[in-house]
């Protein structure tokens, strides 16, 4: 149960709209990718391969759509 809490804390500190630490866009994207990839790996290790792939694929599609429309990270 520690990993989801750690991911939530990292997200809140660096990636949320009201993040306490402001990062440049490339660094923020890297932290977001690390959070989602970690979540995907943890789901896969827990035996939930389909949700793991869906999580990472949907996050990737979301980031691609936001980039194509010019919406900030």
């Amino acid at each position: 149960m520690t990993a989801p809490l750690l991911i939530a804390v990292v997200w809140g500190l660096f990636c949320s709209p009201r993040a306490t630490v402001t990062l440049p866009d490339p660094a923020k994207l890297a932290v977001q990718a690390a959070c989602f990839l970690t979540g995907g790996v943890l789901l896969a290790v827990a035996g939930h391969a389909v949700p793991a792939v869906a999580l990472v694929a949907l996050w990737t599609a979301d980031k691609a759509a936001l980039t194509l429309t010019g919406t900030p990270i």
Side-chain angles (χ1 to χ4, degrees), residues 1-46:
M1 240 5 181
T2 304
L5 179 60
L6 181 60
I7 291 170
V9 169
V10 168
W11 189 270
L13 287 173
F14 300 107
C15 301
S16 75
R18 295 190 292 173
T20 56
V21 178
T22 304
L23 296 175
D25 284 345
K28 187 174 182 179
L29 182 61
V31 173
Q32 290 175 353
C35 287
F36 276 93
L37 289 172
T38 300
V41 167
L42 292 173
L43 279 169
V45 168

Side-chain angles (χ1 to χ4, degrees), residues 25 28 32 63 66-67 69-73:
D25 284 345
K28 187 174 182 179
Q32 290 175 353
K63 284 297 155 191
L66 289 173
T67 301
T69 61
T71 305
I73 296 172

